[in-house]
Amino acid sequence: MGGSFPAGGFGAGNRGDGMWQMMEQLRGAFEKRAGSRMGRGDVRTAVLTLLAEQPMHGYQIIREVEERSGGSWKPSAGSVYPTLQLLSDEGLIAAEESNGRKIYALTDAGRAEAAGAPASAPWDASAAGDNSGFTALPKAGIELAQAAAQVGRTGTPEQVQQAVTVLDEARRRLYSILAQD
């Protein structure tokens, strides 16, 4: 990952802030490597699948994918909007201005393309955990790290020590999973 410690280290005054920054760096690294990213074809399939149901604007598409994937996949605007432009250039969707937003809808060619798409939507595999835990495990780790950072930022010294004990036990139990036959 190659991250570095925050300037000033983890002294008493900035212990929690530094830990929080480290957790955010870790979260970003996990998201880039595993879990929140899908392939370009998946974004295209997701857009076509959703627009086959009803016209939407880009933000609706992003929200709907996130909701249908149970929060495990939220495509970025930087992947959705270029995909919308590409589909428009291909004549598969058309945009109409409504209340200052572009609403996208399938054209006849787009409906034919959507009908030939895979039977399962890309978020189905993500939500079902078909990635052999590749999505669920990093997400759980991120959430654990965020909770630890919160205790580090706001907890008393006694609470911090309790959290260290819990994390040490969790680490041991995770390794014991690997040690099983």
Side-chain angles (χ1 to χ4, degrees):
M1 185 163 68
S4 61
F5 289 101
F10 291 111
N14 64 0
R15 174 190 73 206
D17 290 339
M19 191 181 310
W20 183 255
Q21 290 171 359
M22 294 279 299
M23 293 305 110
E24 286 300 307
Q25 288 176 354
L26 182 62
R27 181 187 58 78
F30 269 129
E31 287 181 352
K32 284 181 183 172
R33 289 189 184 146
S36 70
R37 291 188 172 240
M38 300 292 274
R40 285 187 188 150
D42 291 326
V43 174
R44 178 186 176 95
T45 302
V47 169
L48 289 171
T49 300
L50 291 173
L51 293 180
E53 295 176 8
Q54 68 179 6
M56 296 182 178
H57 58 77
Y59 182 67
Q60 283 175 301
I61 292 168
I62 293 168
R63 273 196 341 240
E64 193 65 29
V65 170
E66 181 181 23
E67 185 177 306
R68 292 185 188 201
S69 71
S72 65
W73 178 33
K74 181 179 180 183
S76 69
S79 63
V80 170
Y81 286 101
T83 300
L84 289 168
Q85 183 61 53
L86 179 64
L87 292 171
S88 179
D89 292 347
E90 293 175 5
L92 300 177
I93 64 172
E96 185 176 301
E97 194 79 25
S98 175
N99 296 327
R101 291 186 174 215
K102 284 185 178 180
I103 304 294
Y104 298 91
L106 292 178
T107 62
D108 289 338
R111 279 187 279 286
E113 176 95 5
S120 66
W123 50 78
D124 291 339
S126 177
D130 288 352
N131 296 347
S132 302
F134 201 58
T135 300
L137 186 59
K139 184 176 183 208
I142 290 165
E143 291 170 353
L144 177 64
Q146 289 172 333
Q150 179 72 28
V151 172
R153 271 199 327 275
T154 61
T156 65
E158 293 79 22
Q159 290 170 326
V160 169
Q161 187 52 51
Q162 287 175 349
V164 168
T165 302
V166 167
L167 292 173
D168 283 345
E169 175 62 20
R171 179 182 42 79
R172 282 191 292 277
R173 291 183 66 188
L174 287 170
Y175 281 126
S176 75
I177 291 169
L178 292 175
Q180 295 172 4
D181 288 333

